Amino acid sequence: AVSAHKELSSRLRMAELLKDASLVSADGAKVDPASLQGKLVAFYFSAHWCPPCRAFTPTLKDVYEEAGEKYGFEVVFVSSDENDDAMKSYMSEAHGKWTAVAFDSPLRDELKRKYGACAGKEQQACGVEPRRTGIPALVVVQPNGDELCFDGTKELSEAGPVAVKRWKEKLAA
C-alpha cells in the first residue's frame, strides 16, 4: 500500500493538481491557482463539525497572520464539512485569509487520496486508502507536490511561526 501511495504521489504533482483547480476565498470569490506559485503551501484538512479542528484553527490563523507574508506561507483549506454552506461558515468565522478548494471540486477528494488525510466517516466515500491521518491535518508540500512535512499540525502547535521558518529553510536547502 505504501508503494502504491508513493507511485500516486509521483504522478500527481503540484502543478498538475492545481492547474485547473477551483479555489475560493471565504466570501466565495474565485482565486487564481497561479497565486500559489513560489509559495510555501500547506493543505489544511479540517471541518467545522470536528472539535479538534475547531481547537487547532485559531493556532493556524495566528501563525498565518504572523508568518504568512514574511515566509510566503499559504494555506489551502480542504474541507470535510457536510456542505458548501458549512464550509463557508467555518471559513468566515474562524479561518485566516487563506483559500480553499471549492466544495464541489473533485480536487478535494483527490487531495485527500494523495495525502491520505480525511475524516474517518468520509474515508470510504472519498476512496482514501491508506488513511494515514484523520483531521485536523496540515500537510506542508514542496513546489512539486511532494510532502515536506506531513505532521504540520503537531509542528505548528509546538513551535508556532518557528515551524514555518524551518519549513521554508528546508525548501531552500
Side-chain angles (χ1 to χ4, degrees):
V2 172
S3 64
H5 182 277
K6 286 188 182 202
E7 179 185 323
L8 178 65
S9 224
S10 64
R11 282 185 302 171
L12 294 175
R13 298 295 188 194
M14 179 69 75
E16 293 171 31
L17 277 176
L18 296 179
K19 75 174 177 162
D20 297 321
S22 180
L23 301 178
V24 296
S25 61
D27 65 5
K30 290 188 184 285
V31 176
D32 184 353
S35 67
L36 299 175
Q37 293 290 64
K39 303 278 179 125
L40 174 64
V41 175
F43 291 111
Y44 182 42
F45 300 87
S46 181
H48 187 264
W49 55 260
C50 166
C53 297
R54 287 195 316 271
F56 176 73
T57 299
T59 300
L60 178 58
K61 181 180 179 183
D62 289 347
V63 169
Y64 180 79
E65 288 172 356
E66 187 173 333
E69 280 190 44
K70 183 175 184 179
Y71 297 111
F73 177 57
E74 282 300 329
V75 175
V76 177
F77 176 44
V78 183
S79 178
S80 289
D81 284 300
E82 304 286 341
N83 56 53
D84 188 51
D85 287 341
M87 180 184 99
K88 286 178 181 164
S89 172
Y90 184 32
M91 288 181 73
S92 64
E93 76 181 47
H95 286 212
K97 294 188 184 313
W98 53 74
T99 62
V101 175
F103 190 82
D104 60 356
S105 172
L107 181 59
R108 279 190 326 120
D109 288 350
E110 287 176 35
L111 290 170
K112 291 172 187 178
R113 287 190 295 270
K114 177 174 174 58
Y115 298 109
C118 70
K121 69 182 188 176
E122 67 180 346
Q123 180 179 357
Q124 190 171 10
C126 292
V128 176
E129 192 57 48
R131 179 173 173 246
R132 299 167 62 208
T133 187
I135 57 174
L138 187 70
V139 180
V140 184
V141 296
Q142 300 175 47
N144 68 1
D146 289 347
E147 292 172 17
L148 182 69
C149 173
F150 182 73
D151 200 2
T153 318
K154 180 178 184 223
E155 289 190 20
L156 208 66
S157 294
E158 292 174 354
V162 173
V164 178
K165 181 177 185 242
R166 286 185 200 142
W167 298 330
K168 192 71 173 179
E169 289 168 350
K170 270 172 122 173
L171 266 186

